Amino acid sequence: SAGCYAMGFLILPRIGMFWSNIGTASLNLLIGIVAICWAKGWTTDEESSALQQDKMEVEPEGSFLPIWVVYLAAGIAGCAALMLQVVWTRQLALLLGGSIYAFSAMLCVFLLGIGLGSLVFQQWINRGKDVLKIATLLLLFIAIGVLIGKRLVPWLTIGSGLIMPVRHSPVVNDLFCVIISSAIELIPTLGMGALLPMLVRLSAGGHECAGR
């Protein structure tokens, strides 16, 4: 989220598309090289044993649903999330103007919401025993959040018009873009961030099998 904000609001306006692409590609190559070098000889005997254990078939923990139902729910929820990204980007393009700011603000808040939602799940929601009921409530929370954001669009349009004279300031513009984006999508993305680990909990036998 921080990288998305920095690229869309700070780096691109200052150094342009060409050098932003060159810098991003170079940084990715450097990260990959460091990761490969760091990983050599990293795996211990205990980790190898844990990896072998992950390959074993494990029944889902506390789930009476067929596993294909969980996978179908995850697929539909993921598809809806991608569709919402497109819708939110177009809504923000009307509110903020057809520029890189609309997409950057959407993606920045989207990633922030998912991260915070996952943190909320880990700290509070994960303690619940009725997993299926909690997952259903999370889906309702996401749907209600989307509807709230939709209802706010006319009011946000008025606010965009009122603040237009001071948007020439980069600080005000950046803050305004993030606030508008948060008003539309922060609530549902919080639910998305909590829903993903909940679906993992429904489908996996424990934390040792989460990756599989």
Side-chain angles (χ1 to χ4, degrees), residues 61-145:
E61 175 189 2
S63 172
F64 54 85
L65 288 174
I67 195 64
W68 68 267
V69 175
V70 180
Y71 291 160
L72 179 62
I76 294 175
C79 180
L82 290 174
M83 294 169 66
L84 282 170
Q85 287 189 54
V86 176
V87 172
W88 287 331
T89 301
R90 295 186 177 184
Q91 287 178 333
L92 290 171
L94 295 175
L95 292 169
L96 306 176
S99 66
I100 190 63
Y101 295 134
F103 180 77
S104 298
M106 181 282 299
L107 192 56
C108 175
V109 175
F110 192 93
L111 295 174
L112 179 64
I114 288 179
L116 292 176
S118 299
L119 181 62
V120 169
F121 171 84
Q122 183 62 33
Q123 295 297 320
W124 293 288
I125 302 177
N126 194 32
R127 302 171 186 175
K129 300 298 182 183
D130 195 339
V131 182
L132 184 59
K133 180 180 179 180
I134 296 174
T136 303
L137 290 175
L138 285 173
L139 287 170
L140 288 174
F141 180 81
I142 294 170
I144 292 172

Side-chain angles (χ1 to χ4, degrees), residues 14-202:
R14 286 165 174 78
I15 67 174
M17 182 71 72
F18 177 78
W19 288 110
S20 295
N21 284 333
I22 294 296
T24 301
S26 301
L27 185 59
N28 281 330
L29 285 173
L30 178 61
I31 292 172
I33 293 171
V34 171
I36 291 172
C37 295
W38 198 359
K40 288 184 177 180
W42 180 282
T43 305
T44 63
D45 293 338
E46 292 181 359
E47 289 171 333
S48 298
S49 176
L51 289 173
Q52 292 296 326
Q53 184 180 358
D54 285 350
K55 297 178 181 179
M56 299 172 60
E57 293 292 332
V58 183
E59 291 298 323
E61 175 189 2
S63 172
F64 54 85
L65 288 174
I67 195 64
W68 68 267
V69 175
V70 180
Y71 291 160
L72 179 62
I76 294 175
C79 180
L82 290 174
M83 294 169 66
L84 282 170
Q85 287 189 54
V86 176
V87 172
W88 287 331
T89 301
R90 295 186 177 184
Q91 287 178 333
L92 290 171
L94 295 175
L95 292 169
L96 306 176
S99 66
I100 190 63
Y101 295 134
F103 180 77
S104 298
M106 181 282 299
L107 192 56
C108 175
V109 175
F110 192 93
L111 295 174
L112 179 64
I114 288 179
L116 292 176
S118 299
L119 181 62
V120 169
F121 171 84
Q122 183 62 33
Q123 295 297 320
W124 293 288
I125 302 177
N126 194 32
R127 302 171 186 175
K129 300 298 182 183
D130 195 339
V131 182
L132 184 59
K133 180 180 179 180
I134 296 174
T136 303
L137 290 175
L138 285 173
L139 287 170
L140 288 174
F141 180 81
I142 294 170
I144 292 172
V146 171
L147 291 175
I148 291 174
K150 181 177 182 295
R151 301 292 291 182
L152 286 175
V153 169
W155 298 99
L156 296 174
T157 304
I158 297 174
S160 298
L162 293 175
I163 204 171
M164 186 64 69
V166 295
R167 279 190 64 188
H168 62 275
S169 169
V171 175
V172 174
N173 178 69
D174 297 355
L175 183 61
F176 175 73
C177 291
V178 173
I179 290 175
I180 292 293
S181 180
S182 298
I184 293 176
E185 60 177 297
L186 184 59
I187 294 177
T189 53
L190 286 171
M192 294 175 192
L195 181 64
L196 177 59
M198 178 58 71
L199 291 172
V200 171
R201 180 176 169 185
L202 277 168

